[in-house]
């Protein structure tokens, strides 16, 4: 058995402070389970080939989405809320402060396959870091 | 946008009482995010083609695993613990009472591709139910 040890989400969250810089807590098949701390505005971006699952562990996490006519919708997510951003959907997370869990294919970039303008300094463009 | 509404895990957990009978709270790509209530012994089983991710939402959830020589190991998981059972690994969950979240390919059976003996009455052999 290629067994890994259990990982506690609270211990994992306590091990780093960086904002919008996901840590990989587990891998299953070719997917990552990642956690992140969020605060402020992310960047408009889209993942062309994958949905993205979010679970809010604490705080509030908002996801603005826009369609091809640039009509915007925002979902406001709080602790224990789950949401899936469909693949190809342009979206911009923002948050007054939260911790979140995400499922996505390994290799998925935090800033998508395409994004608007410059990536802010407080947003880490990454495929996730080891814990 | 083929958008779904957010689902709150606590509201979802409050909507059913059945033990070892997962509900699908979200789908992403060809995967399910499922939740279940657990109590008592599950059945020894294995998923030949997929890992299985567990997150304990509340309570205690134990997973016994055995290798091909039948050497057993048990991991004891509590709230906010995560664990991945590697594909092909024979495992038997048991629990004094817990709520869990699972991530696995859509169509994955709760009793695996193979299992030991009869399936107990309190274990639902299913690929997951709609909320």
């Amino acid at each position: 058995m290629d067994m890994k040890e259990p990982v506690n989400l609270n211990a994992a969250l306590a091990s780093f402070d960086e904002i919008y810089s996901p840590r990989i807590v587990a891998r299953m098949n070719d997917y990552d389970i990642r956690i992140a701390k969020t605060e402020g505005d992310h960047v408009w971006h889209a993942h062309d080939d994958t949905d993205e699952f979010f679970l809010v562990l604490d705080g509030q996490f908002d996801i603005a989405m826009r369609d091809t006519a640039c009509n915007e919708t925002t979902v406001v997510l709080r602790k224990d809320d789950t949401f899936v951003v469909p693949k190809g959907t342009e979206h911009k997370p923002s948050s007054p402060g939260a911790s979140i869990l995400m499922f996505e294919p390994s290799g998925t970039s935090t800033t998508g396959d395409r994004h608007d303008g410059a990536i802010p300094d407080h947003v880490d463009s990454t495929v996730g870091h080891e814990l």
Side-chain angles (χ1 to χ4, degrees), chain A:
Chain A
M1 290 186 273
D2 176 23
M3 275 187 44
K4 301 288 199 308
E5 292 298 308
V7 173
N8 181 272
L9 292 184
N10 293 323
L13 285 167
S15 73
F16 69 100
D17 291 319
E18 291 83 354
I19 296 297
Y20 287 128
S21 184
R23 264 57 179 174
I24 299 168
V25 293
R27 290 185 170 83
M28 61 109 33
N29 298 341
D30 50 354
Y31 278 72
D32 292 346
I33 293 89
R34 303 180 188 174
I35 55 173
K37 295 180 176 182
T38 65
E39 190 175 347
D41 284 350
H42 206 274
V43 66
W44 280 104
H45 68 282
H47 305 281
D48 289 328
D49 300 318
T50 183
D51 301 337
E52 201 169 19
F53 172 83
F54 295 91
L55 164 64
V56 178
L57 301 172
D58 200 21
Q60 181 184 322
F61 181 70
D62 303 337
I63 306 175
M65 287 163 284
R66 63 188 181 199
D67 62 19
T68 49
C70 289
N71 295 312
E72 274 191 43
T73 309
T74 298
V75 294
V76 175
L77 304 174
R78 295 189 177 85
K79 184 173 165 57
D80 297 321
D81 282 340
T82 67
F83 189 73
V84 175
V85 174
K87 69 179 175 181
T89 303
E90 296 189 342
H91 61 288
K92 187 183 79 166
S94 64
S95 172
S99 301
I100 63 171
L101 178 147
M102 293 164 285
F103 289 137
E104 46 201 335
S106 299
T108 300
S109 167
T110 51
T111 51
D113 299 301
R114 48 196 166 91
H115 61 85
D116 276 10
I119 295 169
D121 285 345
H122 65 275
V123 171
D124 184 11
S125 186
T126 177
V127 294
H129 300 277
E130 299 302 314
L131 260 186

